[in-house]
């Protein structure tokens, strides 16, 4: 059940917000490989280097560099694209950045979502919307068991709170407007993602690659913080599968967690120690966890709903995910094509699905 269908995606008109980002870039490449006609909207990349340029994402889609906070410009792109399926990934995605700019974070993550959903109300051909939020939408009580989709929403920091608020916006638009139009809309709550091509600030693996490549020590603020780490292709596979299933079964609309098995949740110390071994060099300075603003100490997701309703299962262990991630960065730094490296990982991921189905 897990194999994604080229027959389904071929020729589908897809609007992808956030195509200039890390996850959005990978998804644009995968959708192109599946034969979809992709229109992307997002801000110009904020880092140098970035996957959007290195992988030539603009060559694979109709690219619009615009801000989703501009409702009128966004609506123009939506009308032009006339999508059948929408993936909404555009966001201010960083916890620490949300402390520095809470107004911008709420404007992008809440009002930007409102702007997109309102623009979608006028479309006749639209069938499916998959809106990406985060594993951090839950009211985190540092509980010793994984969060389920029915657990209360919350958010201590502005990023988490803005994504929880976006969940409420999406539920409102589903109930008040989109379900009546025959549009199935779901939210996807994914764990921490790793993979080649992420150069964002304040993310563990990109920070490590930058530090170790320049032969400077990596400062690790909260070594004991535990998260549901997964390769970027794991949630993207879930998003694609969710869209396919919603097309055929709109009643599946709702919220879905995508993450590793519970026992695969790991501390920052475990992840970065393995990453250094795979990178084959690098110094680490472990701090005591008191620096900087509040961040949750323990977080894991219950993924039974995605398994049972969508047939989505984790494919790569944390060790394999880290191995592929660090290999991607080393090979790209040695001159290999970013687009080709992504294509190779996608192909390997699909082989893992076939192996699982034949086991």
């Amino acid at each position: 059940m897990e194999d994604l269908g080229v027959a389904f995606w071929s020729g589908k008109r897809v609007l992808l917000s956030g195509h200039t980002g890390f996850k959005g870039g990978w998804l644009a490449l995968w959708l192109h490989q599946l034969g979809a006609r992709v229109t992307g909207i997002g801000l110009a990349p904020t880092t140098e280097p970035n996957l959007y340029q290195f992988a030539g994402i603009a060559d694979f889609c109709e690219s619009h560099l615009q801000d989703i906070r501009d409702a009128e410009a966004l609506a123009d792109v939506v009308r032009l694209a006339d999508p059948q399926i929408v993936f909404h990934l555009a966001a201010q995605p960083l916890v620490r950045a949300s402390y520095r700019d809470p107004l911008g974070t709420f404007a992008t993550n809440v009002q930007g979502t409102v702007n997109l959903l309102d623009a979608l109300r006028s479309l006749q051909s639209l069938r499916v919307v998959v809106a990406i939020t985060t594993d951090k939408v839950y009211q985190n009580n540092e509980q010793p068991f994984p969060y389920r989709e029915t657990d209360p929403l919350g958010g201590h920091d502005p990023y988490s709170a803005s994504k929880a608020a976006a969940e409420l916006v999406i539920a409102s638009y589903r109930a008040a407007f989109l379900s009546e139009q025959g549009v199935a809309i779901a939210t996807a709550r994914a764990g921490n993602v790793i993979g080649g091509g992420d150069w964002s600030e304040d993310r563990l693996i990109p920070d490590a690659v930058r530090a170790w490549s320049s032969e400077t020590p990596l400062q690790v603020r909260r070594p004991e913080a535990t998260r549901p780490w997964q390769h970027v292709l794991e949630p993207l596979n879930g998003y694609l599968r969710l869209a396919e299933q919603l097309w055929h079964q709109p009643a599946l609309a709702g919220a879905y967690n995508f993450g590793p098995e519970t026992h695969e949740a790991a501390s920052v110390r475990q992840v970065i120690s393995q990453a250094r071994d795979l990178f084959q060099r690098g110094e680490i300075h472990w701090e005591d966890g008191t620096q900087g603003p509040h961040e949750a100490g323990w977080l894991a997701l219950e993924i039974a709903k995605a398994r049972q309703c969508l047939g989505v299962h984790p494919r790569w262990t944390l060790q394999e995910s880290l191995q592929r991630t660090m290999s991607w960065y080393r090979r790209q730094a040695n001159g290999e094509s970013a687009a080709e490296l992504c294509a190779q990982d996608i192909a390997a991921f699909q082989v893992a699905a076939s192996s699982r189905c034949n086991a």
Side-chain angles (χ1 to χ4, degrees), residues 75 78-79 82 117-125 178 181:
V78 168
R79 285 191 293 270
D82 190 27
L117 295 179
D118 211 60
L120 296 177
R121 290 174 56 195
S122 63
L123 301 182
Q124 299 300 313
S125 58
L178 294 177
Q181 296 176 218

Side-chain angles (χ1 to χ4, degrees), residues 5-182:
V6 174
F8 173 83
W9 288 101
S10 182
K12 287 288 193 304
R13 299 189 305 278
V14 177
L15 177 65
L16 169 59
S17 77
H19 71 301
T20 56
F22 166 54
K23 287 171 70 176
W26 276 88
L27 185 53
L29 288 166
W30 202 347
L31 284 165
H32 172 74
Q33 185 182 101
L34 290 168
R37 296 163 51 192
V38 182
T39 299
I41 183 168
L43 294 175
T46 57
T47 65
E48 181 61 46
N50 59 80
L51 186 63
Y52 178 74
Q53 293 177 327
F54 273 20
I57 303 300
D59 297 334
F60 298 98
C61 67
E62 181 70 30
S63 181
H64 298 264
L65 300 182
Q66 293 179 342
D67 194 328
I68 62 172
R69 292 175 292 184
D70 186 337
E72 185 175 347
L74 177 60
D76 288 342
V77 173
V78 168
R79 285 191 293 270
L80 179 67
D82 190 27
Q84 297 164 291
I85 298 173
V86 173
F87 291 100
H88 177 40
L89 278 71
Q92 192 298 96
L94 301 172
V95 171
R96 286 167 67 87
S98 77
Y99 280 105
R100 296 192 295 269
D101 183 17
L103 291 180
T105 299
F106 281 103
T108 298
N109 294 352
V110 183
Q111 189 59 50
T113 298
V114 172
N115 292 342
L116 176 60
L117 295 179
D118 211 60
L120 296 177
R121 290 174 56 195
S122 63
L123 301 182
Q124 299 300 313
S125 58
L126 181 65
R127 293 275 299 275
V128 171
V129 179
V130 177
I132 313 311
T133 58
T134 177
D135 58 347
K136 298 171 183 63
V137 296
Y138 296 107
Q139 181 178 311
N140 194 319
N141 301 315
E142 305 286 350
Q143 62 187 29
F145 47 85
Y147 289 93
R148 300 175 182 269
E149 291 86 349
T150 53
D151 284 335
L153 302 179
H156 182 284
D157 59 88
Y159 168 72
S160 301
S162 71
K163 284 296 194 173
E167 289 270 357
L168 297 179
V169 166
I170 293 160
S172 173
Y173 267 80
R174 179 194 297 121
F177 306 112
L178 294 177
S179 63
E180 295 179 0
Q181 296 176 218

Side-chain angles (χ1 to χ4, degrees), residues 42-352:
L43 294 175
T46 57
T47 65
E48 181 61 46
N50 59 80
L51 186 63
Y52 178 74
Q53 293 177 327
F54 273 20
I57 303 300
D59 297 334
F60 298 98
C61 67
E62 181 70 30
S63 181
H64 298 264
L65 300 182
Q66 293 179 342
D67 194 328
I68 62 172
R69 292 175 292 184
D70 186 337
E72 185 175 347
L74 177 60
D76 288 342
V77 173
V78 168
R79 285 191 293 270
L80 179 67
D82 190 27
Q84 297 164 291
I85 298 173
V86 173
F87 291 100
H88 177 40
L89 278 71
Q92 192 298 96
L94 301 172
V95 171
R96 286 167 67 87
S98 77
Y99 280 105
R100 296 192 295 269
D101 183 17
L103 291 180
T105 299
F106 281 103
T108 298
N109 294 352
V110 183
Q111 189 59 50
T113 298
V114 172
N115 292 342
L116 176 60
L117 295 179
D118 211 60
L120 296 177
R121 290 174 56 195
S122 63
L123 301 182
Q124 299 300 313
S125 58
L126 181 65
R127 293 275 299 275
V128 171
V129 179
V130 177
I132 313 311
T133 58
T134 177
D135 58 347
K136 298 171 183 63
V137 296
Y138 296 107
Q139 181 178 311
N140 194 319
N141 301 315
E142 305 286 350
Q143 62 187 29
F145 47 85
Y147 289 93
R148 300 175 182 269
E149 291 86 349
T150 53
D151 284 335
L153 302 179
H156 182 284
D157 59 88
Y159 168 72
S160 301
S162 71
K163 284 296 194 173
E167 289 270 357
L168 297 179
V169 166
I170 293 160
S172 173
Y173 267 80
R174 179 194 297 121
F177 306 112
L178 294 177
S179 63
E180 295 179 0
Q181 296 176 218
V183 177
I185 180 168
T187 57
R189 304 164 180 175
N192 289 49
V193 296
I194 59 176
D198 188 3
W199 283 281
S200 302
E201 65 170 337
D202 287 332
R203 283 190 182 154
L204 186 62
I205 297 300
D207 284 349
V209 170
R210 275 189 292 268
W212 297 337
S213 297
S214 61
E215 299 185 352
T216 59
L218 173 68
Q219 304 291 330
V220 179
R221 297 186 306 271
R222 290 178 167 81
E224 307 313 321
T226 299
R227 297 287 186 270
W229 309 92
Q230 59 186 328
H231 193 275
V232 63
L233 291 177
E234 299 280 7
L236 296 187
N237 174 64
Y239 305 163
L240 291 164
R241 171 58 62 187
L242 177 56
E244 286 189 20
Q245 294 297 96
L246 290 174
W247 184 279
H248 299 297
Q249 301 181 69
L252 291 174
Y256 290 83
N257 288 337
F258 295 102
E261 302 291 355
T262 301
H263 72 272
E264 282 279 307
S267 71
V268 168
R269 186 185 298 274
Q270 292 171 299
V271 169
I272 210 63
S273 296
Q274 290 183 53
R276 178 178 57 182
D277 291 343
L278 293 164
F279 202 70
Q280 300 176 352
R281 68 179 188 274
E283 185 179 351
I284 305 170
H285 286 178
W286 305 104
E287 298 179 359
D288 61 8
T290 62
Q291 293 80 10
H294 172 272
E295 295 181 62
W298 195 91
L299 178 60
L301 297 176
E302 172 58 66
I303 58 172
K305 182 179 179 182
R307 182 187 298 110
Q308 293 170 3
C309 296
L310 308 177
V312 172
H313 303 261
R315 300 182 187 179
W316 286 343
T317 63
L318 176 60
Q319 177 67 22
E320 183 164 5
S321 298
L322 283 167
Q323 183 174 359
R324 291 189 174 277
T325 297
M326 305 316 288
S327 174
W328 195 105
Y329 282 109
R330 288 198 311 271
R331 293 171 64 187
Q332 190 276 327
N334 289 331
E336 294 191 48
S337 161
E340 180 58 29
L341 290 171
C342 291
Q344 290 176 16
D345 276 348
I346 291 171
F349 191 83
Q350 292 169 322
V351 168

